[in-house]
Amino acid sequence: MDVAQHVEDRSPRGIAAAVSRLVRSGELQPGDRLPTVRRLAADLGVSPATVSGAWQALAAVGLVTSRGRAGTVVLPEPASWLPPRYRDMAAGGRVDAVPEPAAAPPRPASRLDLSTGTPDPELLPPLQRALGRIAARTPAAGTGTYLGAPVIEPLERLLRASWPFTPQRVTVVDGAVDAMSRTLEQLAGFGGRVIVEDPSFPPIFDLCDQLGLERVPVPLDRHGMRPDALEAALRTGAEVVVLQPRAHNPTGVSMTSTRAREIAAVIRRHLAADPAADVHVVEDDHSGEIASSADVSLGSHLPDRVVHVRSYSKSHGPDLRIAAVGGPAAVLDRVIARRMLGPGWTSRLLQHLLADLLVDGEALAAVAQARRIYYARQRALSTALAEHGVVVQPGDGINVWVPVADEATALVRLEAAGIRVARGRPFRAVPPPDAGAGHVRVTVGALSGGPSEVARVAHALARAATP
């Protein structure tokens, strides 16, 4: 490959960035040999020291390695164990995932990371007292049977009491994506079609690709998935509909009760028109108890066809690794049986901890306070952006979906301002026709610095959003 033709900026950083892009795009594969320092320097008309600085920067982040006389070769990406869109998210919105060469002046560091999609750790319920209570009741890890119920009775009772419809079966798994994965494995065979929202959470797309499922995108409006587009998508023979009922990631949209009835009516008509059709809905309520919107579910209308997933990562902490799943026994019994041949069950110690937190007054107050604060941060940023002429629909949860004229330009400008966000492209089921125009996702849950920080971020976003 002629690396020189892909280099626009002939500084050490520009050369390193160009090679990094070639590696991420797959044009340079692990094991490929890079041109020698002297050859590339001659092709670019720069000094060998300039190219050497670029090679050193790439080596520092594990993208290349020098093998002496055998030359410099490309290594597998450091995060190559991540699925493609997860890998893109892990880059944190950085345009170039390589450091500055030592000879180059330092660039402004990203001081405020609004790219992660994770909750504010300061707003999670404290664990000390709950852990003490659990330890007092359970001084050692249990030695019960491997064939015991997958959900402890106190937690199942609390889940059933709070569920948005009456589920035939309830279980717990290791997080929302685990729940989605195991449910899709039971509902859709290789090559099957799955209806997804566009935009949506990137790992949903990775998961479909991993399972060999064909994605059928359906757009949203401010009330949720559009019924007219869903009706057309169902005619493709799709077997599963995957949607986020509230605090949609990335847009913040929540499904209204009216929209839930409309979507349920569309599915009923489809099933009535095609007796051979077998459609299920999987709902990803990832924000759970920190969402301000009503807990609306299609399960109220189609209880035998809806698997509802509720995560406790945003409300009680991602490291608990617990999501509850409720729905028809015909589906969940297969999910539970498959897990028996893997992890078996989700740690009962962690289940006891979550059950304690769901009734403890201090923890309940912390979650309620987090819900109020996230709501206020959403509104504060939306209002501040509107003052700069950037209109976004204030939503629910911890993310805001901000339109920009050019994603790459927006990321560069924001990074220069010391702010990191997630680029919008991985969230799109179908990339927009304009390669530049798009969105960035801003995790407002991390905006903990008060009005001055909100004003600074809104100003930077408004400047980044322009052409």
Side-chain angles (χ1 to χ4, degrees):
M1 170 181 287
D2 184 0
V3 172
Q5 69 176 346
H6 295 276
V7 177
E8 298 175 0
D9 175 2
R10 300 189 180 193
S11 68
R13 177 173 179 81
I15 298 169
V19 174
S20 176
R21 287 192 293 269
L22 291 171
V23 171
R24 293 201 307 273
S25 69
E27 293 177 76
L28 280 175
Q29 295 286 323
D32 285 352
R33 182 174 173 175
L34 298 179
T36 65
V37 168
R38 291 191 178 279
R39 176 185 158 193
L40 186 58
D43 290 344
L44 294 174
V46 299
S47 71
T50 297
V51 178
S52 180
W55 270 206
Q56 290 170 15
L58 292 165
V61 293
L63 285 182
V64 304
T65 187
S66 173
R67 294 181 176 168
R69 292 185 178 181
T72 299
V73 298
V74 176
L75 291 173
E77 287 190 73
S80 58
W81 51 273
L82 286 169
R85 293 174 186 82
Y86 256 133
R87 196 178 313 160
D88 203 313
M89 294 169 70
R94 291 171 293 181
V95 178
D96 300 309
V98 294
E100 291 286 357
R107 303 171 77 210
S110 288
R111 296 177 297 277
L112 183 60
D113 192 347
L114 305 179
S115 70
T116 62
T118 53
D120 184 341
E122 297 298 321
L123 298 180
L124 296 173
L127 299 180
Q128 295 92 325
R129 294 182 184 179
L131 286 169
R133 289 189 292 267
I134 299 304
R137 294 197 299 267
T138 312
T143 57
T145 173
Y146 284 94
L147 304 180
V151 190
I152 62 169
E153 190 276 334
L155 182 56
E156 179 168 0
R157 185 174 64 251
L158 290 167
L159 293 174
R160 286 187 174 277
S162 65
W163 217 246
F165 61 96
T166 302
Q168 294 178 2
R169 194 78 79 234
V170 169
T171 191
V172 293
V173 297
D174 301 333
V177 176
D178 184 40
M180 305 292 285
S181 171
R182 295 184 181 281
T183 304
L184 285 174
E185 284 176 340
Q186 301 305 322
L187 293 177
F190 189 90
R193 293 188 173 97
V194 174
I195 294 171
V196 296
E197 297 163 314
D198 187 18
S200 190
F201 187 42
I204 297 292
F205 304 150
D206 277 338
L207 184 57
C208 288
D209 295 347
Q210 182 73 25
L211 296 175
L213 304 175
E214 181 182 338
R215 292 180 271 115
V216 182
V218 169
L220 309 174
D221 60 23
R222 62 192 182 93
H223 300 301
M225 184 177 278
R226 281 175 38 193
D228 59 333
L230 173 62
E231 194 160 17
L234 285 169
R235 289 196 290 268
T236 68
E239 304 166 279
V240 185
V241 180
V242 176
L243 59 82
Q244 301 173 54
R246 58 179 173 173
H248 179 270
N249 184 359
T251 66
V253 165
S254 292
M255 182 172 63
T256 63
S257 57
T258 299
R259 179 56 53 86
R261 286 194 298 271
E262 292 170 346
I263 291 175
V266 168
I267 294 174
R268 282 200 196 96
R269 286 198 301 271
H270 176 74
L271 293 172
D274 183 0
D278 187 20
V279 177
H280 285 82
V281 178
V282 183
E283 296 177 334
D284 177 17
D285 185 22
H286 52 84
S287 287
E289 297 196 358
I290 58 98
S292 299
S293 304
D295 192 3
V296 173
S297 170
L298 293 175
S300 300
H301 309 281
L302 302 166
D304 295 337
R305 294 190 174 275
V306 175
V307 175
H308 188 79
V309 177
R310 179 190 296 161
S311 172
Y312 290 89
S313 292
K314 302 290 192 303
S315 57
H316 293 77
D319 218 25
L320 280 176
R321 305 312 306 138
I322 291 184
V325 191
V331 177
L332 290 192
D333 283 351
R334 301 203 307 268
V335 169
I336 295 167
R338 177 64 186 87
R339 290 190 86 229
M340 291 298 294
L341 300 177
W345 64 88
T346 295
S347 166
R348 294 185 179 102
L349 284 173
L350 293 179
Q351 291 188 50
H352 278 292
L353 178 59
L354 177 59
D356 185 287
L357 293 172
L358 290 177
V359 297
D360 175 63
E362 182 184 23
L364 288 168
V367 172
Q369 176 72 350
R371 187 186 309 121
R372 289 190 291 270
I373 290 175
Y374 290 139
Y375 181 90
R377 290 176 184 176
Q378 276 264 4
R379 269 58 191 171
L381 183 60
S382 300
T383 300
L385 284 170
E387 292 173 357
H388 291 281
V390 179
V391 178
V392 298
Q393 181 70 33
D396 196 1
I398 63 173
N399 299 303
V400 170
W401 190 234
V402 181
V404 296
D406 183 89
E407 287 186 7
T409 300
L411 293 176
V412 170
R413 289 176 179 173
L414 287 167
E415 189 168 304
I419 298 169
R420 182 170 295 161
V421 298
R423 72 187 186 106
R425 194 174 184 84
F427 294 84
R428 298 302 305 268
V430 178
D434 185 340
H439 292 78
V440 295
R441 189 197 67 175
V442 184
T443 301
V444 295
L447 275 176
S448 58
S452 60
E453 184 174 83
V454 170
R456 179 173 79 87
V457 170
H459 176 71
L461 281 168
R463 289 190 67 248
T466 58

Short mmCIF file of all heavy atoms in Angstrom, two decimals, residues 65-97:
data_model
loop_
_atom_site.label_atom_id
_atom_site.label_comp_id
_atom_site.label_asym_id
_atom_site.label_seq_id
_atom_site.Cartn_x
_atom_site.Cartn_y
_atom_site.Cartn_z
N THR A 65 4.85 -2.45 15.72
CA THR A 65 6.06 -2.83 16.44
C THR A 65 7.21 -2.92 15.46
O THR A 65 7.02 -3.27 14.28
CB THR A 65 5.87 -4.17 17.17
OG1 THR A 65 7.02 -4.42 18.00
CG2 THR A 65 5.72 -5.33 16.19
N SER A 66 8.39 -2.58 15.95
CA SER A 66 9.59 -2.67 15.11
C SER A 66 10.23 -4.04 15.28
O SER A 66 10.41 -4.51 16.42
CB SER A 66 10.58 -1.57 15.50
OG SER A 66 11.81 -1.77 14.81
N ARG A 67 10.57 -4.66 14.17
CA ARG A 67 11.23 -5.95 14.20
C ARG A 67 12.62 -5.87 13.59
O ARG A 67 13.07 -6.77 12.89
CB ARG A 67 10.38 -7.00 13.47
CG ARG A 67 9.07 -7.27 14.19
CD ARG A 67 8.22 -8.31 13.51
NE ARG A 67 7.02 -8.60 14.28
CZ ARG A 67 5.99 -9.31 13.84
NH1 ARG A 67 6.02 -9.80 12.59
NH2 ARG A 67 4.94 -9.54 14.60
N GLY A 68 13.28 -4.76 13.87
CA GLY A 68 14.65 -4.57 13.40
C GLY A 68 14.74 -4.54 11.89
O GLY A 68 14.02 -3.80 11.22
N ARG A 69 15.62 -5.37 11.34
CA ARG A 69 15.80 -5.39 9.89
C ARG A 69 14.57 -5.90 9.15
O ARG A 69 14.44 -5.67 7.94
CB ARG A 69 17.00 -6.27 9.54
CG ARG A 69 18.33 -5.67 10.01
CD ARG A 69 19.49 -6.52 9.54
NE ARG A 69 20.76 -5.93 9.94
CZ ARG A 69 21.95 -6.47 9.64
NH1 ARG A 69 22.00 -7.61 8.95
NH2 ARG A 69 23.06 -5.88 10.04
N ALA A 70 13.66 -6.59 9.88
CA ALA A 70 12.43 -7.08 9.25
C ALA A 70 11.41 -5.96 9.07
O ALA A 70 10.37 -6.16 8.44
CB ALA A 70 11.82 -8.21 10.08
N GLY A 71 11.69 -4.79 9.62
CA GLY A 71 10.82 -3.64 9.42
C GLY A 71 9.80 -3.44 10.53
O GLY A 71 9.81 -4.13 11.56
N THR A 72 8.92 -2.48 10.30
CA THR A 72 7.86 -2.14 11.25
C THR A 72 6.55 -2.72 10.74
O THR A 72 6.17 -2.48 9.59
CB THR A 72 7.73 -0.61 11.40
OG1 THR A 72 8.97 -0.10 11.91
CG2 THR A 72 6.62 -0.25 12.37
N VAL A 73 5.85 -3.49 11.59
CA VAL A 73 4.64 -4.19 11.16
C VAL A 73 3.45 -3.78 12.03
O VAL A 73 3.60 -3.34 13.16
CB VAL A 73 4.82 -5.72 11.19
CG1 VAL A 73 5.92 -6.16 10.26
CG2 VAL A 73 5.08 -6.20 12.61
N VAL A 74 2.28 -3.96 11.44
CA VAL A 74 1.03 -3.63 12.13
C VAL A 74 0.67 -4.74 13.11
O VAL A 74 0.74 -5.93 12.77
CB VAL A 74 -0.10 -3.42 11.11
CG1 VAL A 74 -1.44 -3.17 11.82
CG2 VAL A 74 0.23 -2.28 10.16
N LEU A 75 0.27 -4.34 14.33
CA LEU A 75 -0.19 -5.29 15.33
C LEU A 75 -1.72 -5.30 15.37
O LEU A 75 -2.36 -4.35 14.91
CB LEU A 75 0.33 -4.88 16.72
CG LEU A 75 1.83 -5.01 16.96
CD1 LEU A 75 2.18 -4.40 18.31
CD2 LEU A 75 2.25 -6.47 16.93
N PRO A 76 -2.32 -6.36 15.92
CA PRO A 76 -3.77 -6.29 16.17
C PRO A 76 -4.08 -5.11 17.07
O PRO A 76 -3.29 -4.77 17.96
CB PRO A 76 -4.07 -7.63 16.87
CG PRO A 76 -2.96 -8.53 16.46
CD PRO A 76 -1.75 -7.66 16.31
N GLU A 77 -5.24 -4.47 16.87
CA GLU A 77 -5.60 -3.32 17.69
C GLU A 77 -5.63 -3.69 19.17
O GLU A 77 -6.02 -4.80 19.52
CB GLU A 77 -6.97 -2.79 17.28
CG GLU A 77 -6.98 -2.07 15.95
CD GLU A 77 -8.31 -1.37 15.73
OE1 GLU A 77 -8.54 -0.34 16.39
OE2 GLU A 77 -9.10 -1.86 14.92
N PRO A 78 -5.23 -2.75 20.06
CA PRO A 78 -5.25 -3.06 21.49
C PRO A 78 -6.63 -3.48 21.99
O PRO A 78 -6.75 -4.26 22.91
CB PRO A 78 -4.82 -1.72 22.12
CG PRO A 78 -4.02 -1.04 21.06
CD PRO A 78 -4.65 -1.44 19.76
N ALA A 79 -7.67 -2.95 21.39
CA ALA A 79 -9.03 -3.30 21.81
C ALA A 79 -9.70 -4.24 20.82
O ALA A 79 -10.91 -4.22 20.65
CB ALA A 79 -9.87 -2.05 22.00
N SER A 80 -8.91 -5.09 20.15
CA SER A 80 -9.48 -5.95 19.13
C SER A 80 -10.41 -7.01 19.71
O SER A 80 -11.15 -7.66 18.97
CB SER A 80 -8.37 -6.62 18.32
OG SER A 80 -7.52 -7.38 19.16
N TRP A 81 -10.39 -7.21 21.03
CA TRP A 81 -11.31 -8.15 21.67
C TRP A 81 -12.71 -7.56 21.77
O TRP A 81 -13.66 -8.29 22.07
CB TRP A 81 -10.80 -8.54 23.06
CG TRP A 81 -10.45 -7.36 23.92
CD1 TRP A 81 -9.26 -6.71 23.98
CD2 TRP A 81 -11.31 -6.68 24.84
NE1 TRP A 81 -9.31 -5.67 24.87
CE2 TRP A 81 -10.56 -5.64 25.42
CE3 TRP A 81 -12.63 -6.86 25.23
CZ2 TRP A 81 -11.10 -4.76 26.37
CZ3 TRP A 81 -13.16 -6.00 26.18
CH2 TRP A 81 -12.40 -4.97 26.73
N LEU A 82 -12.86 -6.27 21.53
CA LEU A 82 -14.18 -5.64 21.57
C LEU A 82 -14.89 -5.81 20.23
O LEU A 82 -14.26 -5.75 19.18
CB LEU A 82 -14.05 -4.15 21.87
CG LEU A 82 -13.71 -3.74 23.30
CD1 LEU A 82 -13.36 -2.26 23.35
CD2 LEU A 82 -14.87 -4.04 24.23
N PRO A 83 -16.22 -6.02 20.24
CA PRO A 83 -16.98 -6.00 18.98
C PRO A 83 -16.83 -4.64 18.30
O PRO A 83 -16.51 -3.64 18.96
CB PRO A 83 -18.42 -6.24 19.43
CG PRO A 83 -18.31 -6.88 20.78
CD PRO A 83 -17.08 -6.30 21.40
N PRO A 84 -17.07 -4.56 16.99
CA PRO A 84 -16.74 -3.35 16.22
C PRO A 84 -17.31 -2.06 16.77
O PRO A 84 -16.60 -1.07 16.94
CB PRO A 84 -17.29 -3.66 14.82
CG PRO A 84 -17.28 -5.14 14.74
CD PRO A 84 -17.56 -5.64 16.11
N ARG A 85 -18.62 -2.02 17.07
CA ARG A 85 -19.20 -0.75 17.52
C ARG A 85 -18.84 -0.45 18.96
O ARG A 85 -18.70 0.70 19.36
CB ARG A 85 -20.71 -0.76 17.29
CG ARG A 85 -21.06 -0.77 15.80
CD ARG A 85 -22.54 -0.94 15.56
NE ARG A 85 -22.83 -1.08 14.13
CZ ARG A 85 -22.70 -2.21 13.45
NH1 ARG A 85 -22.29 -3.31 14.05
NH2 ARG A 85 -22.97 -2.26 12.17
N TYR A 86 -18.68 -1.47 19.78
CA TYR A 86 -18.15 -1.27 21.13
C TYR A 86 -16.76 -0.63 21.04
O TYR A 86 -16.40 0.25 21.81
CB TYR A 86 -18.05 -2.60 21.86
CG TYR A 86 -19.12 -2.83 22.90
CD1 TYR A 86 -19.81 -4.04 22.96
CD2 TYR A 86 -19.44 -1.86 23.84
CE1 TYR A 86 -20.78 -4.27 23.91
CE2 TYR A 86 -20.41 -2.08 24.80
CZ TYR A 86 -21.08 -3.29 24.84
OH TYR A 86 -22.04 -3.51 25.78
N ARG A 87 -15.94 -1.12 20.08
CA ARG A 87 -14.59 -0.59 19.91
C ARG A 87 -14.64 0.88 19.55
O ARG A 87 -13.85 1.70 20.05
CB ARG A 87 -13.88 -1.39 18.82
CG ARG A 87 -12.37 -1.23 18.80
CD ARG A 87 -11.77 -2.11 17.72
NE ARG A 87 -12.31 -3.47 17.76
CZ ARG A 87 -12.28 -4.31 16.75
NH1 ARG A 87 -11.76 -3.94 15.60
NH2 ARG A 87 -12.78 -5.52 16.86
N ASP A 88 -15.59 1.22 18.68
CA ASP A 88 -15.75 2.62 18.29
C ASP A 88 -16.14 3.47 19.49
O ASP A 88 -15.64 4.57 19.70
CB ASP A 88 -16.82 2.73 17.20
CG ASP A 88 -16.66 3.98 16.37
OD1 ASP A 88 -16.46 5.06 16.97
OD2 ASP A 88 -16.73 3.90 15.14
N MET A 89 -17.04 2.94 20.34
CA MET A 89 -17.45 3.67 21.53
C MET A 89 -16.30 3.80 22.52
O MET A 89 -16.15 4.82 23.19
CB MET A 89 -18.62 2.96 22.20
CG MET A 89 -19.90 2.95 21.37
SD MET A 89 -21.14 1.85 22.05
CE MET A 89 -21.59 2.73 23.54
N ALA A 90 -15.46 2.76 22.60
CA ALA A 90 -14.34 2.79 23.54
C ALA A 90 -13.33 3.87 23.18
O ALA A 90 -12.59 4.36 24.04
CB ALA A 90 -13.65 1.43 23.59
N ALA A 91 -13.31 4.26 21.89
CA ALA A 91 -12.40 5.33 21.48
C ALA A 91 -12.82 6.66 22.07
O ALA A 91 -12.06 7.63 22.01
CB ALA A 91 -12.36 5.43 19.96
N GLY A 92 -14.03 6.72 22.66
CA GLY A 92 -14.45 7.91 23.39
C GLY A 92 -14.61 9.14 22.55
O GLY A 92 -14.45 10.26 23.04
N GLY A 93 -14.92 8.99 21.26
CA GLY A 93 -15.11 10.16 20.43
C GLY A 93 -13.82 10.77 19.93
O GLY A 93 -13.83 11.81 19.27
N ARG A 94 -12.68 10.15 20.22
CA ARG A 94 -11.42 10.70 19.73
C ARG A 94 -11.31 10.51 18.23
O ARG A 94 -11.60 9.46 17.70
CB ARG A 94 -10.24 10.01 20.42
CG ARG A 94 -10.13 10.35 21.90
CD ARG A 94 -9.09 9.49 22.56
NE ARG A 94 -9.52 8.10 22.58
CZ ARG A 94 -8.81 7.13 23.12
NH1 ARG A 94 -7.63 7.38 23.64
NH2 ARG A 94 -9.25 5.89 23.12
N VAL A 95 -10.85 11.53 17.56
CA VAL A 95 -10.67 11.43 16.12
C VAL A 95 -9.47 10.55 15.81
O VAL A 95 -9.49 9.74 14.90
CB VAL A 95 -10.47 12.84 15.52
CG1 VAL A 95 -10.24 12.73 14.02
CG2 VAL A 95 -11.69 13.70 15.80
N ASP A 96 -8.43 10.65 16.57
CA ASP A 96 -7.22 9.87 16.34
C ASP A 96 -6.79 9.25 17.66
O ASP A 96 -6.53 9.96 18.62
CB ASP A 96 -6.08 10.74 15.81
CG ASP A 96 -6.45 11.40 14.50
OD1 ASP A 96 -6.90 10.70 13.59
OD2 ASP A 96 -6.28 12.62 14.42
N ALA A 97 -6.72 7.92 17.70
CA ALA A 97 -6.38 7.24 18.95
C ALA A 97 -4.89 7.01 19.06
O ALA A 97 -4.43 5.93 19.35
CB ALA A 97 -7.13 5.92 19.04
#
